[in-house]
Amino acid sequence: MPATSLTAAIVPCTLGAIAFAAPPLFIDATDSLGLGGVSCARVCFADLNNDGRPDAILDRRLIYINVPNETARVAFELLPDTGLPEPEQRDLLVFADLDGDSILDAITTRWKDETTEADGTAPDRPNGWMRGDGSGRFGSLKPLPFPTRPTAAIAVGDANLDGRLDLYLGNWYTRYGESLEAAPNDLILSTPSGYARSKLPTDGIPFTEDEDAGGRPTYGVRLVDLLGDGRPALLDLNYGRRANRILRPTARGFEDQAAELGLDGDDQRDGVYPDWVRAKGRENEQRFRANGNTFDASVADIDNDGDLDLFVSTIRHAWAGESSDISRFLVQENGHFVSPPRIAPPRDREPEDRWNFGDLYCQLADLNLDGLPDLLLSSGDYPDDQRLRLFVQRPDGTFADETSSAGIDHDGSQQLSIADVDQDGDLDILVGQTFFRYTKELRAGREPRVRLLLNQAIEQGRGHALAIKLIGDTDDVNTAAIGAVVRVTADLDGDPTTPSVTQTQLLDPIGGHQGKQNTFALHFGIGAATQAERVEITWPDVSTTKTVLTDVPAGLLEARSSAGK
């Protein structure tokens, strides 16, 4: 479909010029597609029956298979008898191919800390995985060799580039509210003889306020090669206003390089509370607690300069002071990450002593197909208009809040996931909802609901898209090619006198806060172009094998790692 302009049309009439706004980018298709009436916070997309269509998993237990019918390209039907265990409140669930049969398996964790162990509410089953049968159903639980801890986040990737998927788990406080000590995180490597926990520098290190070198309360993790040097690193997003970490592999083992890379936190670290807070007797924070409450991160090349950048989402309160980090972009410049103020997403604040930013989840993706990553920011928990927001990137690199004009109206926003559910080329949004901390007045007459927001960019002719599904079909690349980097070059504006643009994406579908998971396909908006001039795939293996394709038409491309041999 050719791209068309959606700028406001000016129509002459006797009463003067009338401007007609573009139609909204998203429509709420929750009820019409079969997901209406479900209340939960946790959601994700995953293709469980291996038919190329993303299925929906709600509340870590309900599986809705994406089944097209005679009248619709997509319709979700609830699958009975999935084999998934009934989740407890803090359980995590993600889906990845652990056994190499190209079918997604289920990976689940159970929460245990010193408090639950002492009061007898510790879990009755271990962490483990369940083999998928290709229908959306799963076999019996196979225990995994890592301790049951207060696990708050999980990432999946190939940490040592041996072709097998590994797990990285972020763990929380051992006794929340009683101690600032946290459990160490767990890196679980897949080996030819099974799974084994890898030693990390936080192991056996007790918490001290001077060093804070032991485990930190982690709310989000990613397993990513941000610097593009073929060394996947462990990114920790930390709670309790403690600095984030990035553990990079060196000859001496993993080392935290967050401070030297600019990923630990912003530069305001005096811990000073506002005057009105100190007047109530609260002491200023120590330096080790003068960073962010970071929950999630999303990786993308936001400025199309060839390297990977980040957005990190944090919870911040009016009372917390300027040392409490705000959600922000971290743009890579010569191997260092900075936060340019000019591209910060605009945010309104309530009166000085009452505002909250409940930024739980974030996602970077090109939602309007113009070749520039946009930002979804999912904010909840607090009753002062915390909601799902869309910030659209402008050609000058700044971001504009287009939530209302995009047709999005979703407060109390929780976990989100993106995928192309109707297979038209643009990315759709699945998002949970809770009314946690809402007053009785705000709850009145309402029940929290899951929402499925269907993207209309293709239908409205906003641009073309190239979707790329990667297949690891060699021994040294995992079956889904998680960790691959893809670069797509296209003439976005259709003007041969202007330069083509190269976009860079990392295949990193599982990681962030809790069990956050997205589609395994990479989606590139290519604007007015009907084809990509060049597609370069760097496979996640020790040789960083490359595949280069030219003149790739818009639509779906399946690429195999064997093509790079």
Side-chain angles (χ1 to χ4, degrees):
M1 181 183 298
T4 59
S5 173
L6 285 178
T7 53
I10 307 299
V11 180
C13 70
T14 56
L15 299 178
I18 301 175
F20 294 95
L25 182 59
F26 291 93
I27 59 172
D28 187 340
T30 314
D31 293 338
S32 63
L33 297 185
L35 299 181
V38 182
S39 176
C40 70
R42 312 276 188 88
V43 301
C44 79
F45 284 124
D47 180 9
L48 301 182
N49 60 355
N50 221 19
D51 66 351
R53 295 176 174 272
D55 308 305
I57 301 92
L58 309 183
D59 199 26
R60 300 151 298 157
R61 61 188 178 87
L62 302 175
I63 292 178
Y64 288 81
I65 298 295
N66 184 346
V67 182
N69 56 39
E70 295 179 356
T71 60
R73 286 181 297 176
V74 55
F76 289 97
E77 296 181 1
L78 182 62
L79 182 70
D81 305 321
T82 65
L84 292 177
E86 189 70 18
E88 294 185 356
Q89 182 180 5
R90 293 173 170 176
D91 287 2
L92 303 183
L93 178 70
V94 297
F95 301 91
D97 177 18
L98 293 188
D99 57 3
D101 64 356
S102 299
I103 296 172
L104 297 185
D105 309 304
I107 307 159
T108 181
T109 67
R110 272 277 162 102
W111 179 285
K112 182 174 76 172
D113 58 20
E114 293 179 10
T115 302
T116 60
E117 194 168 19
D119 64 17
T121 60
D124 57 358
R125 66 166 173 82
N127 302 310
W129 70 284
M130 307 168 70
R131 189 173 188 270
D133 69 0
S135 72
R137 296 178 174 87
F138 299 89
S140 59
L141 184 74
K142 303 175 186 295
L144 284 168
F146 54 90
T148 308
R149 306 194 200 262
T151 299
I154 183 169
V156 179
D158 187 354
N160 52 8
L161 301 179
D162 65 354
R164 292 183 293 267
L165 288 178
D166 310 304
L167 311 176
Y168 185 49
L169 291 91
N171 300 315
W172 212 46
Y173 290 109
T174 55
R175 297 188 308 279
Y176 178 65
E178 303 174 36
S179 168
L180 293 177
E181 188 158 4
N185 293 342
D186 294 298
L187 174 62
I188 310 301
L189 297 178
S190 175
T191 73
S193 58
Y195 291 91
R197 186 182 183 278
S198 180
K199 181 175 175 57
L200 294 178
T202 53
D203 290 356
I205 304 296
F207 165 74
T208 64
E209 294 180 356
D210 293 334
E211 297 292 336
D212 193 27
R216 294 179 186 176
T218 300
Y219 252 2
V221 288
R222 302 213 78 98
L223 208 169
V224 291
D225 175 13
L226 289 177
L227 299 185
D229 60 2
R231 294 187 294 164
L234 312 176
L235 177 64
D236 297 348
L237 309 168
N238 294 322
Y239 184 75
R241 295 184 62 186
R242 287 152 89 171
N244 300 323
R245 286 175 168 149
I246 184 165
L247 302 177
R248 302 190 68 231
T250 71
R252 296 177 297 275
F254 286 99
E255 295 183 359
D256 180 18
Q257 298 179 3
E260 62 191 81
L261 293 176
L263 294 172
D264 54 340
D266 67 20
D267 294 333
Q268 172 54 271
R269 304 184 186 194
D270 58 19
V272 175
Y273 284 116
D275 291 343
W276 61 272
V277 174
R278 288 189 286 122
K280 296 179 180 180
R282 183 146 188 175
E283 298 292 333
N284 293 334
E285 290 288 2
Q286 297 185 54
R287 185 176 179 84
F288 81 96
R289 273 175 55 88
N291 284 110
N293 287 332
T294 313
F295 279 60
D296 195 18
S298 184
V299 178
D301 179 9
I302 67 163
D303 48 9
N304 288 336
D305 66 350
D307 53 29
L308 294 173
D309 314 302
L310 294 136
F311 187 87
V312 293
S313 57
T314 70
I315 282 186
R316 189 184 185 192
H317 314 287
W319 57 262
E322 293 303 314
S323 292
S324 179
D325 298 355
I326 199 167
S327 299
R328 63 201 182 280
F329 287 102
L330 291 163
V331 179
Q332 188 171 173
E333 295 181 358
N334 300 317
H336 190 80
F337 292 84
V338 298
S339 297
R342 65 177 292 273
I343 68 169
R347 301 291 294 277
D348 293 328
R349 293 181 178 180
E350 293 295 320
E352 187 63 25
D353 61 346
R354 293 199 297 273
W355 58 267
N356 300 281
F357 290 163
D359 300 346
L360 300 170
Y361 300 91
C362 59
Q363 187 61 47
L364 294 165
D366 181 8
L367 298 172
N368 58 2
L369 306 181
D370 64 355
L372 298 172
D374 308 306
L375 170 67
L376 286 169
L377 189 56
S378 181
S379 307
D381 278 4
Y382 298 93
D384 51 342
D385 198 36
Q386 303 301 302
R387 59 179 51 249
L388 179 65
R389 291 181 170 88
L390 169 63
F391 298 94
V392 172
Q393 186 174 174
R394 299 305 194 191
D396 65 358
T398 61
F399 288 77
D401 188 344
E402 295 193 5
T403 306
S404 296
S405 61
I408 297 174
D409 184 11
H410 186 71
D411 63 333
S413 189
Q414 292 288 322
Q415 195 168 61
L416 78 164
S417 184
I418 58 171
D420 182 6
V421 300
D422 54 359
Q423 305 288 279
D424 64 351
D426 51 31
L427 288 165
D428 310 302
I429 304 168
L430 182 66
V431 60
Q433 185 178 47
T434 66
F435 296 154
F436 185 56
R437 294 193 177 98
Y438 273 30
T439 63
K440 290 183 178 179
E441 291 75 18
L442 288 174
R443 291 175 180 261
R446 303 182 65 196
E447 291 290 337
R449 291 287 181 258
V450 166
R451 298 279 185 243
L452 175 57
L453 303 174
L454 208 60
N455 196 331
Q456 301 298 291
I458 290 290
E459 288 83 353
Q460 295 169 5
R462 297 195 182 212
H464 297 100
L466 174 61
I468 301 177
K469 179 182 179 181
L470 300 178
I471 301 170
D473 60 351
T474 52
D475 290 340
D476 47 1
V477 175
N478 66 86
T479 57
I482 292 174
V485 174
V486 179
R487 292 181 168 85
V488 169
T489 302
D491 181 8
L492 300 181
D493 60 5
D495 183 352
T497 66
T498 59
S500 295
V501 174
T502 298
Q503 304 172 58
T504 303
Q505 291 190 29
L506 169 72
L507 182 55
D508 177 34
I510 306 172
H513 182 38
Q514 295 177 324
K516 182 184 169 191
Q517 177 164 356
N518 291 315
T519 177
F520 280 40
L522 293 174
H523 282 252
F524 292 84
I526 56 174
T530 58
Q531 67 175 19
E533 300 163 17
R534 175 184 167 95
V535 174
E536 178 187 284
I537 303 165
T538 303
W539 298 97
D541 59 20
V542 292
S543 301
T544 58
T545 305
K546 295 183 186 298
T547 298
V548 176
L549 305 170
T550 57
D551 299 332
V552 178
L556 175 64
L557 168 68
E558 288 192 354
R560 297 178 176 272
S561 60
S562 56
K565 296 295 184 179

